[in-house]
Amino acid sequence: EAQVTQNPRYLITVTGKKLTVTCSQNMNHEYMSWYRQDPGLGLRQIYYSMNVEVTDKGDVPEGYKVSRKEKRNFPLILESPSPNQTSLYFCASSLISRGRGGVGNEQFFGPGTRLTVL
Amino acid sequence: AQKITQTQPGMFVQEKEAVTLDCTYDTSDPSYGLFWYKQPSSGEMIFLIYQGSYDQQNATEGRYSLNFQKARKSANLVISASQLGDSAMYFCAMRAGTYKYIFGTGTRLKVLA
């Protein structure tokens, strides 16, 4: 089954304790991305990756790190979590279109990770 | 700056009626894509429909259609014959030029029996 998986699904942690949220896709997608969802703010892009070893910042990258060492995996790292990073996190993947405009491919989303930082 | 605006925080619609969810966008890039996603109360994000900036016709997918008005920079989602299962949060999103995505703040739709 084609899917994007995230682990853990739920996490409660304390301020300053490093954590990693894993993301993996089995669709051979070049593009992967992380979002956070907060009430009233919609989804905001944290980081994205166009391929292995190619990453770039989204709109809210502060306090996060990512790496893309393998095509299927795109972990999100919080080196020193703070309470303002309490949120619902989504990983997503898609093909990178080679058609006109190159913007046509929908993203497939993981189930989400609900993170609480105390 | 690129921006997506959804001005309707919440909407109600009677079952079997049609409903339009508004989305306006702003970009200076001539090449862009517009997407609609549905998020039910269970939390997953479900892709509904896509419209490219160069597409000549409005996109349709089953009961979903996208009313694309390029000059007005609007990409409204039309759901025909609403069903109870359509009750969800709906997000409009855009990708323009770069590989960044911008999402709106969402519209919560409630379908009434």
Side-chain angles (χ1 to χ4, degrees), chain B residues 20-32:
Chain B
T20 298
L21 306 184
D22 294 341
C23 173
T24 59
Y25 61 93
D26 190 21
T27 179
S28 57
D29 200 301
S31 176
Y32 53 88

Side-chain angles (χ1 to χ4, degrees), chain B residues 49-69:
Chain B
I49 197 166
Y50 162 79
Q51 180 84 43
S53 59
Y54 296 116
D55 293 343
Q56 297 297 312
Q57 293 187 324
N58 287 346
T60 60
E61 290 285 350
R63 293 187 300 110
Y64 303 109
S65 60
L66 203 153
N67 184 2
F68 182 48
Q69 298 189 40

Side-chain angles (χ1 to χ4, degrees), chain A residues 31 35 37 40-43 45 48 50 57-59 88 90 94 96-97 100-107 109-111, chain B residues 31-33 35 37 39 43-45 47 50 52 54-55 89 91 95-106:
Chain A
Y31 186 89
Y35 299 89
Q37 182 179 4
L41 297 179
L43 278 78
Q45 193 170 36
Y48 59 94
M50 291 76 78
K57 297 177 181 178
D59 285 334
L88 177 60
F90 285 101
S94 74
I96 289 184
S97 174
R100 184 172 62 176
V103 293
N105 290 296
E106 75 271 21
Q107 295 179 84
F109 282 80
Chain B
S31 176
Y32 53 88
F35 305 80
Y37 290 87
Q39 186 179 42
E44 71 268 31
M45 295 288 290
F47 166 74
Y50 162 79
Y54 296 116
D55 293 343
M89 181 73 89
F91 291 101
R95 178 184 153 194
T98 69
Y99 291 97
K100 292 177 71 170
Y101 282 84
I102 308 293
F103 279 75
T105 52

Side-chain angles (χ1 to χ4, degrees), chain A residues 68-98:
Chain A
R68 186 95 181 269
K69 293 181 170 33
E70 303 167 285
K71 195 173 185 179
R72 63 183 294 129
N73 296 324
F74 191 44
L76 179 69
I77 303 157
L78 285 72
E79 298 240 334
S80 183
S82 63
N84 64 13
Q85 292 178 298
T86 292
S87 187
L88 177 60
Y89 291 87
F90 285 101
C91 179
S93 73
S94 74
L95 294 169
I96 289 184
S97 174
R98 287 159 179 84

Side-chain angles (χ1 to χ4, degrees), chain A residues 7-78:
Chain A
N7 282 291
R9 294 288 313 278
Y10 302 90
L11 179 60
I12 301 175
T13 189
V14 296
T15 298
K17 186 176 181 181
K18 181 179 178 180
L19 68 91
T20 299
V21 184
T22 64
C23 173
S24 182
Q25 51 94 4
N26 62 1
M27 295 169 278
N28 202 34
H29 286 166
E30 300 97 339
Y31 186 89
M32 297 186 74
S33 180
W34 277 103
Y35 299 89
R36 60 177 291 173
Q37 182 179 4
D38 301 289
L41 297 179
L43 278 78
R44 293 178 292 166
Q45 193 170 36
I46 303 171
Y47 270 96
Y48 59 94
S49 169
M50 291 76 78
N51 216 323
V52 175
E53 303 291 3
V54 183
T55 63
D56 206 348
K57 297 177 181 178
D59 285 334
V60 288
E62 296 77 19
Y64 304 95
K65 284 177 60 177
V66 293
S67 68
R68 186 95 181 269
K69 293 181 170 33
E70 303 167 285
K71 195 173 185 179
R72 63 183 294 129
N73 296 324
F74 191 44
L76 179 69
I77 303 157
L78 285 72

